[in-house]
Amino acid sequence: MKILLLGSGAREHALARALARDPQTTELVVAPGNPGTAAIATNLNIDPCVPDEVVALATQMRADLVVVGPEAPLVAGVADAVRDAGIPCFGPSAEAARLEGSKAFAKEVMAAAGVPTAEAAVCTTEAELNAALDRFGSPYVVKEDGLAAGKGVVVTDERPVALAHGRACLSRGGGRVVVEDYLDGPEASLFCVCDGATVRPLAPAQDFKRLLNDDAGPNTGGMGAYSPLPWAPADLTEQVVREVAQPVVDEMARRGAGFIGLLYCGLALTSRGLRVVEFNVRFGDPETQAVLARLTSSLPELLHAAATGALAEAPEPVWSEQCAVDVVIAAPGYPGTVTTGGAVTGIEAAEELDDVHVLHAGTGTTERGELVATGGRVLSVVAMGATVEDARARAYEAVKRIGLEGAQYRTDIAQAVGAGGADGTE
């Protein structure tokens, strides 16, 4: 199978790793890719958000499957263009991608499908924003309506902070902001592979959104993750498929916007029961790094079945009994003004440890071939172990072997799990 994978982050490196190691993959091109994907695939520098460029490359390489990693190409209609060219594509149409591209649209779909979620108000004026803040009270949850790379949400007890974020959201292109009721309880992520009708869940995971230990500091794109979730209800996956993913896929089909691709269900396990925090329409980062590390069955076969409407006949995913922990190393200044250009060292030393691999996110090479940081999140360090505690210890031993001046990383990823608790409450 010839596969074209779009994107350049650690999520795409994790996808490329899972695709490349499968014997069904005969050729793998990553566009534009990163130094990590270059070691296991062919990188080609095109703009993944330009449909014509993607179609031209997929046609040239006679791709059997196109896999879209990031959200921006999906919202730009890349999946539509690829499918119009007669090439199977794992990724939703621009219309279906509105589940992530507009939180207001996602709320509308959830209401129609009867999916449990936080009560919310969509605001288009400052007066409406103030009224919503009054209505829901503290802690305030204020969300950018459109795409924000995982950093468009503010959860705060301070009304001036909530109001300032809401005003900033209103001032941007969409002119809308979503204010929600606060959801208590731990959060979890479940990825569901969909072909427009059938839903196949992957293994649940949990990520850590805040920059600092103990869920302090600003929101980020994610500072780490682990899988599986020993504390979660045994029937969590079945419940999410039954109450969330399948109803949403059915509702999208009813609207004539069949959902083909990855439905990311961000969940809160509240005192009042399961609630949806958000949807994404692609593999989540950093959860993908932990989830795919545990996948032992064929990823190309699964994604191709979804892209061709044959998911009901495809084998169920199979998982390693080992646990995986992913620790993100970020550049100085992230998630604000990032300092790039710092030398990255020690990856080979980290990977000398058993069951450890390092995934590239914001990296590049100089003219002399030196590896440097080029983005906010630089690396994902992934370790496997018999328990979450074992994987966690190995991941942090690997992190200590990596050098990047001023690097930031949390030291408490999955820490509470060893005490029988659940991490990641917001």
Side-chain angles (χ1 to χ4, degrees):
M1 195 184 304
K2 296 181 178 181
I3 302 173
L4 171 59
L5 170 64
L6 304 181
S8 61
R11 163 185 51 218
E12 286 74 37
H13 192 177
L15 284 163
R17 185 174 178 270
L19 293 169
R21 70 188 179 198
D22 192 283
Q24 293 193 42
T25 302
T26 56
E27 181 181 353
L28 178 61
V29 173
V30 187
N34 62 41
T37 62
I40 55 175
T42 301
N43 284 356
L44 290 176
N45 189 23
I46 68 163
D47 187 339
C49 292
V50 178
D52 288 348
E53 290 191 31
V54 175
V55 170
L57 176 55
T59 302
Q60 177 186 339
M61 63 179 283
R62 297 182 180 178
D64 299 297
L65 176 66
V66 174
V67 178
V68 185
E71 61 271 29
L74 296 168
V75 175
V78 165
D80 305 77
V82 171
R83 275 193 281 270
D84 287 346
I87 302 169
C89 183
F90 184 80
S93 65
E95 177 64 20
R98 290 179 65 205
L99 283 171
E100 179 171 359
S102 170
K103 291 177 176 61
F105 176 74
K107 289 290 186 183
E108 176 192 318
V109 170
M110 281 189 275
V115 171
T117 187
E119 190 178 353
V122 180
C123 309
T124 58
T125 67
E126 189 168 327
E128 291 176 349
L129 171 62
N130 273 295
L133 295 175
D134 289 340
R135 174 183 165 194
F136 292 116
S138 175
Y140 303 103
V141 182
V142 184
K143 296 184 175 183
E144 182 113 24
D145 181 54
L147 297 180
K151 293 175 281 188
V153 181
V154 162
V155 181
T156 179
D157 291 318
E158 300 178 28
R159 186 185 177 102
V161 174
L163 184 59
H165 182 66
R167 284 172 174 161
C169 293
L170 288 173
S171 69
R172 289 190 272 270
R176 297 198 298 183
V177 64
V178 177
V179 180
E180 289 187 355
D181 193 15
Y182 175 75
L183 297 175
D184 62 355
E187 294 188 5
S189 304
L190 185 71
F191 299 165
C192 293
V193 175
C194 313
D195 69 355
T198 300
V199 173
R200 285 283 172 83
L202 302 185
Q206 187 180 65
D207 74 330
F208 296 75
K209 298 178 179 66
R210 302 281 187 163
L211 178 68
L212 305 174
N213 286 3
D214 300 319
D215 291 321
N219 251 15
T220 71
M223 295 300 293
Y226 67 99
S227 176
L229 309 181
W231 51 267
D235 65 344
L236 176 64
T237 296
E238 292 77 11
Q239 183 185 5
V240 174
V241 171
R242 182 179 65 251
E243 299 181 10
V244 178
Q246 192 67 59
V248 166
V249 168
D250 292 344
E251 173 63 18
M252 294 302 288
R254 188 189 68 78
R255 292 169 178 244
F259 191 94
I260 300 169
L262 197 291
L263 182 64
Y264 167 122
C265 302
L267 312 159
L269 281 60
T270 78
S271 56
R272 294 165 289 172
L274 180 73
R275 297 289 187 274
V276 173
V277 176
E278 65 175 351
F279 289 129
N280 292 333
V281 297
R282 37 69 192 182
F283 282 95
D285 184 340
E287 298 99 320
T288 297
Q289 292 90 298
V291 170
L292 291 186
R294 299 184 56 237
L295 182 69
T296 61
S297 54
S298 173
L299 184 64
E301 182 180 19
L302 182 68
L303 302 190
H304 188 268
T308 56
L311 197 54
E313 292 79 48
E316 295 277 354
V318 180
W319 304 98
S320 166
E321 292 185 2
Q322 284 192 302
C323 303
V325 172
D326 166 30
V327 178
V328 171
I329 298 176
Y334 179 77
T337 303
V338 176
T339 301
T340 59
V344 178
T345 60
I347 291 178
E348 289 184 2
E351 292 186 327
E352 288 174 357
L353 295 167
D354 290 339
D355 292 326
V356 169
H357 62 274
V358 180
L359 301 170
H360 292 242
T363 65
T365 53
T366 66
E367 292 180 356
R368 293 182 293 179
E370 298 168 328
L371 191 68
V372 295
T374 59
R377 291 185 295 175
V378 181
L379 299 171
S380 277
V381 179
V382 183
M384 305 281 283
T387 65
V388 172
E389 298 96 305
D390 291 340
R392 182 177 183 277
R394 191 167 288 143
Y396 278 110
E397 186 179 351
V399 166
K400 290 175 183 176
R401 298 188 178 194
I402 293 173
L404 171 62
E405 187 175 354
Q408 304 180 85
Y409 61 90
R410 284 179 58 157
T411 60
D412 65 344
I413 302 300
Q415 185 173 44
V417 179
D423 278 305
T425 53
E426 283 284 339

